[in-house]
Amino acid sequence: MKHRHLLALPMLVAALAAQAQDRTADPLGPLAQCINRSQFQFKTQDRLPASATTRIVKMKAEERRVSTADGYRLMLFRKSSLPFVNLKIERSAAGQFASDRETIVAQMQEMSAGSKPPHQVPLETDARDGVEVLGLNQASIAQAQGIISLYTLLHAASGTVATAYLLNQPADPRDFVTDAQYQTLRTQLIATLASCMADPAQ
């Protein structure tokens, strides 16, 4: 019996290696550079390891998984020395975007439904340039100690998912002080992300 397990080990290693992502190409590189040409720029690019082919999405009743054929984590800055956005851009595995989208949308719907008055957070939806935009926003920056807004942008044509955590900045120097200033920057950020996802070469 032990010999059978030993024989199975090389097969398991080979299977895991086959699942690892091909890094001869960089499909999300142009998208990252497009974002970096805007007023929102990153200092480093943290790429997903080749072995990270899925990530966990936590739901109330269960944990689901979405595919991650490739991905980057980018901390976006503007004028402040403090980050404004924790951004994750991911490419779904071939043929998996529809199911990944279903899981992500369900999680955001659940998060909205779980919010309670007076801090209820409705799920806002929009679409631009073939990019689906889902947003959860705190009513005021005063209510947010860390994350003010959570946005997911989905581009079916390329199988790309962007998840943006917009962060409060408690100390000077800040990029925004009032709700109006924050909302202006938020609008500009989402427009930048949607535009770059639709056409990274611009």
Side-chain angles (χ1 to χ4, degrees), residues 39-40 78 183-193:
Q39 62 177 310
F40 308 102
R78 193 170 168 270
Q183 290 163 8
T184 296
L185 288 177
R186 182 185 69 197
T187 298
Q188 293 170 352
L189 171 75
I190 300 307
T192 294
L193 296 180

Side-chain angles (χ1 to χ4, degrees), residues 45 61 67 70 91 97 100 110 131 144-145 155 184-185 198:
Q45 293 175 273
S67 67
D70 205 346
R91 180 66 55 88
F97 178 81
D100 290 343
E110 187 175 273
V131 179
Q145 297 301 314
H155 188 233
T184 296
L185 288 177

Side-chain angles (χ1 to χ4, degrees), residues 2-178:
K2 291 182 179 178
H3 292 297
R4 290 182 181 177
H5 287 309
L6 290 174
L7 289 172
L9 186 58
M11 296 175 63
L12 176 60
V13 172
L16 292 174
Q19 290 179 358
Q21 302 151 10
D22 178 12
R23 288 303 169 80
T24 57
D26 186 7
L28 293 173
L31 171 56
Q33 292 306 316
C34 179
I35 296 168
N36 206 43
R37 289 192 291 270
S38 74
Q39 62 177 310
F40 308 102
Q41 300 179 341
F42 57 84
K43 297 178 181 179
T44 59
Q45 293 175 273
D46 296 322
R47 194 173 186 182
L48 280 178
S51 58
T53 56
T54 64
R55 66 175 171 88
I56 294 174
V57 174
K58 294 185 177 181
M59 310 285 287
K60 286 184 178 178
E62 61 181 339
E63 286 186 349
R64 302 184 190 178
R65 288 186 176 273
V66 299
S67 67
T68 53
D70 205 346
Y72 280 104
R73 177 177 175 270
L74 309 171
M75 297 298 291
L76 301 184
F77 295 79
R78 193 170 168 270
K79 295 180 179 179
S80 173
S81 60
L82 302 170
F84 178 51
V85 185
N86 180 352
L87 176 66
K88 298 175 183 178
I89 53 176
E90 298 165 338
R91 180 66 55 88
S92 290
Q96 296 298 308
F97 178 81
S99 60
D100 290 343
R101 176 195 173 279
E102 181 180 351
T103 296
I104 292 166
V105 171
Q107 184 195 39
M108 294 197 71
Q109 290 173 335
E110 187 175 273
M111 292 171 67
S112 176
S115 62
K116 304 295 182 183
H119 304 300
Q120 197 161 9
V121 181
L123 179 60
E124 302 173 13
T125 61
D126 193 10
R128 58 183 80 184
D129 299 325
V131 179
E132 183 179 6
V133 181
L134 307 174
L136 297 169
N137 292 292
Q138 298 283 355
S140 170
I141 60 176
Q143 296 177 2
Q145 297 301 314
I147 298 170
I148 311 173
S149 303
L150 167 61
Y151 275 84
T152 296
L153 291 83
L154 302 131
H155 188 233
S158 63
T160 304
V161 179
T163 307
Y165 300 88
L166 282 70
L167 308 174
N168 210 342
Q169 297 176 330
D172 291 332
R174 303 176 67 182
D175 286 317
F176 54 88
V177 177
T178 67

